[in-house]
Amino acid sequence: MNEIIHSDILIVGGGSAGIAAAVAASSRGLSVTVIERNSFLGGKATAAEVGTICGLYEYSKNPESSYIVKGFTKEFAEKLQERSGSSPLNNKEGLHYLPYKVDAFRDICDEYIKQRGINVLLDATVENVSLKSGMIETVTVIHNNENILFHVKAVVDCSGDSVISKAANMSVIKDMQYQAAAQVFSMEGVVEDNESRLGMIMMKALRAGIEANEIPAYYDRVYIVQGSLQNGSVNLKLGIPVPVTYEKGNLEEIQRMAREFVQGVSDYLVQHVAAYKNAVISHIASEAGIRIGERTMGTYLLTEDDVLSSRKFPDAIANGSWPIEIWELDRRVKMHYFDLDNAYQVPAGCLQAAAISNLYMAGRNISATRMAIASARVMGICLQTGFAAGCMAFAKAAGVPREDIIEYLQNLQL
Ligand SMILES: Cc1cc2nc3c(=O)[nH]c(=O)nc-3n(C[C@H](O)[C@H](O)[C@H](O)COP(=O)(O)OP(=O)(O)OC[C@H]3O[C@@H](n4cnc5c(N)ncnc54)[C@H](O)[C@@H]3O)c2cc1C
């Protein structure tokens, strides 16, 4: 028998976008519930331990990192920086990013949820959606082997994979080719305190091993998570040499390869690189990181041209200061930049589902092409679209005009 719950706003996914959406929606007196499949919050930030937040700062060669966003995203980043004891880093291209500690990210999510009195169901998944007159009326969720029927006024899909659209049998934006997956793990007992020197020594040894046919060619896809080398502990990110296809068994194959790769690389480094001679694996992130999922079509589709021409929109709700970043099954990341000291904007139409009037999307789930989402998926932008989608869902549920909430968001965030 179904338990029946009324929640004005239902948020699917408790990653960076979902937390921001929950904070935005709950600040205004409506009941908000977050449904999260994992047993903890944070999404890719904590499950895949990606290690740095991009998209928070201006794209600029000024060595000072200046925020490109205000409001909740800035507040979240400032807390994270303080708790992580980190500072923004930048590279010669003008990209700025914040290294963070995974525990700090998770704690901050937990604190927001507690402070705002937001109802969270962990280990819960969406089973079914019922529609009436082009609107979502109920969402069935499975939690502790029981069905819970949520009566809702608005839904925000922050699942990264258009879970709601699929449950409602709507078509979704699929790609011909998805970005490569990656696995993060940590080693401790490393004897080197300079991160770029460690990276160079490590790559030299791996390339020598590949040339000598001691290790497979894909062993060159080992990267240091920037800013992670501290007190002899370093986080390494491995590009998994299995294409992401979303076909049956694909995720299991990626995870199996990720485990094998972690073991193989760490063994090789211990045996062949002096700095790793006494190092051991101290931790493996619980999820292999899948970068891109299927998206829901909105009333606007963000394109590569919008990103690369730094396009601005009258209904903008987020600033995008990160370039298009494509990871394929080779070592080199492909970056496509817009002009330095510029940024594009994400319009509200990317967050409003075209086919269902009370469904909103945020994070890596927004309405965007393969190239555009390769920029808009970074967490600084997910936090912004999350907060905006939470406000838009509130406006729908409370009968506030769309123009008013967009004006409010622009003053608050941009
Ligand atoms: C390897 C890798 C490296 C990256 N590096 C960086 C980086 O350096 N900097 C940066 O800013 N970004 C980086 N990213 C991108 C960034 O981490 C993600 O795009 C971002 O975290 C997505 O946030 P989100 O909230 O949209 O989705 P997610 O973080 O994916 O959260 C979605 C949540 O929904 C939950 N969920 C999914 N399906 C269901 C369901 N059916 N029912 C209930 N819950 C569900 C999931 O468990 C998850 O918690 C990287 C991503 C990867 C994979």
Side-chain angles (χ1 to χ4, degrees):
M1 171 110 127
N2 285 336
E3 184 185 348
I4 299 175
I5 297 182
H6 289 263
S7 181
D8 294 319
I9 297 171
L10 191 74
I11 292 164
V12 181
S16 35
I19 294 299
V23 169
S26 67
S27 308
R28 290 159 182 84
L30 297 183
S31 55
V32 177
T33 305
V34 177
I35 304 297
E36 169 52 50
R37 184 180 54 187
N38 285 335
S39 52
F40 53 88
L41 298 172
K44 292 284 167 281
T46 55
E49 306 191 9
V50 303
T52 59
I53 312 266
C54 306
L56 292 170
Y57 309 107
E58 287 171 5
Y59 170 38
S60 161
K61 292 209 173 163
N62 185 339
E64 286 287 303
S65 301
S66 307
Y67 278 99
I68 187 114
V69 60
K70 305 185 285 183
F72 172 78
T73 301
K74 184 169 178 228
E75 178 189 298
F76 189 99
E78 284 172 345
K79 279 184 202 272
L80 190 60
Q81 173 172 346
E82 193 193 325
R83 303 276 185 94
S84 301
S86 62
S87 306
L89 300 176
N90 61 83
N91 67 13
K92 62 181 185 331
E93 277 78 30
L95 297 176
H96 298 244
Y97 42 91
L98 180 69
Y100 68 91
K101 290 211 165 88
V102 169
D103 288 350
F105 197 107
R106 194 177 296 138
D107 289 350
I108 292 170
C109 292
D110 290 343
E111 282 166 21
Y112 272 116
I113 292 294
K114 203 168 159 201
Q115 279 161 11
R116 307 292 169 121
I118 298 162
N119 183 29
V120 176
L121 294 189
L122 297 173
D123 300 309
T125 54
V126 169
E127 176 70 359
N128 209 346
V129 168
S130 79
L131 300 175
K132 192 173 175 191
S133 312
M135 286 177 69
I136 299 172
E137 196 175 41
T138 63
V139 178
T140 309
V141 170
I142 302 188
H143 182 235
N144 291 338
N145 293 324
E146 283 183 10
N147 283 2
I148 306 176
L149 188 73
F150 281 93
H151 284 262
V152 296
K153 292 183 178 159
V155 176
V156 189
D157 190 339
C158 303
S159 66
D161 204 20
S162 290
V163 160
I164 291 289
S165 305
K166 288 181 193 168
N169 289 323
M170 283 165 56
S171 63
V172 289
I173 307 169
K174 294 174 188 273
D175 297 333
M176 299 287 284
Q177 194 189 353
Y178 289 93
Q179 293 205 31
Q183 176 70 51
V184 173
F185 74 106
S186 317
M187 292 188 77
E188 63 184 22
V190 179
V191 186
E192 173 59 67
D193 53 13
N194 182 302
E195 200 171 278
S196 51
R197 198 162 48 226
L198 182 68
M200 279 189 291
I201 299 168
M202 192 175 79
M203 275 327 293
K204 200 172 157 204
L206 290 167
R207 289 213 173 101
I210 293 166
E211 272 171 32
N213 282 328
E214 290 168 357
I215 45 178
Y218 63 78
Y219 272 51
D220 70 345
R221 289 173 231 164
V222 181
Y223 313 83
I224 293 180
V225 175
Q226 294 193 6
S228 69
L229 178 63
Q230 265 178 23
N231 306 324
S233 173
V234 70
N235 296 349
L236 301 177
K237 183 172 71 174
L238 309 180
I240 309 299
V242 175
V244 175
T245 62
Y246 283 99
E247 280 164 16
K248 199 163 178 279
N250 178 238
L251 189 58
E252 292 73 16
E253 171 66 2
I254 288 168
Q255 279 163 347
R256 189 195 58 73
M257 174 54 91
R259 284 192 296 272
E260 203 178 294
F261 198 179
V262 166
Q263 198 56 57
V265 163
S266 56
D267 287 350
Y268 193 83
L269 293 175
V270 168
Q271 284 161 23
H272 294 85
V273 181
Y276 283 93
K277 192 171 169 219
N278 297 313
V280 289
I281 297 174
S282 53
H283 176 73
I284 303 177
S286 61
E287 252 181 39
I290 306 283
R291 289 185 164 90
I292 306 285
E294 293 166 342
R295 282 94 60 207
T296 296
M297 182 56 80
T299 55
Y300 186 80
L301 180 72
L302 191 74
T303 66
E304 175 180 4
D305 186 50
D306 294 334
V307 173
L308 296 183
S309 64
S310 306
R311 186 159 174 202
K312 311 292 189 291
F313 294 88
D315 62 342
I317 48 74
N319 283 330
S321 62
W322 198 256
I324 293 172
E325 181 180 324
I326 307 265
W327 293 82
E328 289 171 340
L329 291 183
D330 55 8
R331 178 171 168 78
R332 287 247 148 256
V333 55
K334 293 174 187 69
M335 306 294 277
H336 303 253
Y337 293 93
F338 39 85
D339 290 343
L340 200 63
D341 298 312
N342 212 335
Y344 67 95
Q345 292 182 322
V346 180
C350 295
L351 278 52
Q352 162 73 68
I356 299 181
S357 68
N358 63 344
L359 172 61
Y360 301 86
M361 303 82 74
R364 59 195 186 92
N365 220 98
I366 63 169
S367 175
T369 62
R370 172 178 180 266
M371 293 297 273
I373 200 67
S375 163
R377 72 188 173 88
V378 295
M379 283 186 275
I381 306 176
C382 290
L383 287 162
Q384 296 177 61
T385 56
F387 193 86
C391 286
M392 289 165 72
F394 157 78
K396 179 74 179 178
V400 174
R402 183 181 189 271
E403 315 77 72
D404 291 0
I405 204 74
I406 287 170
E407 191 186 337
Y408 165 80
L409 272 165
Q410 290 178 341
N411 288 330
L412 198 71
Q413 296 216 122
L414 303 189

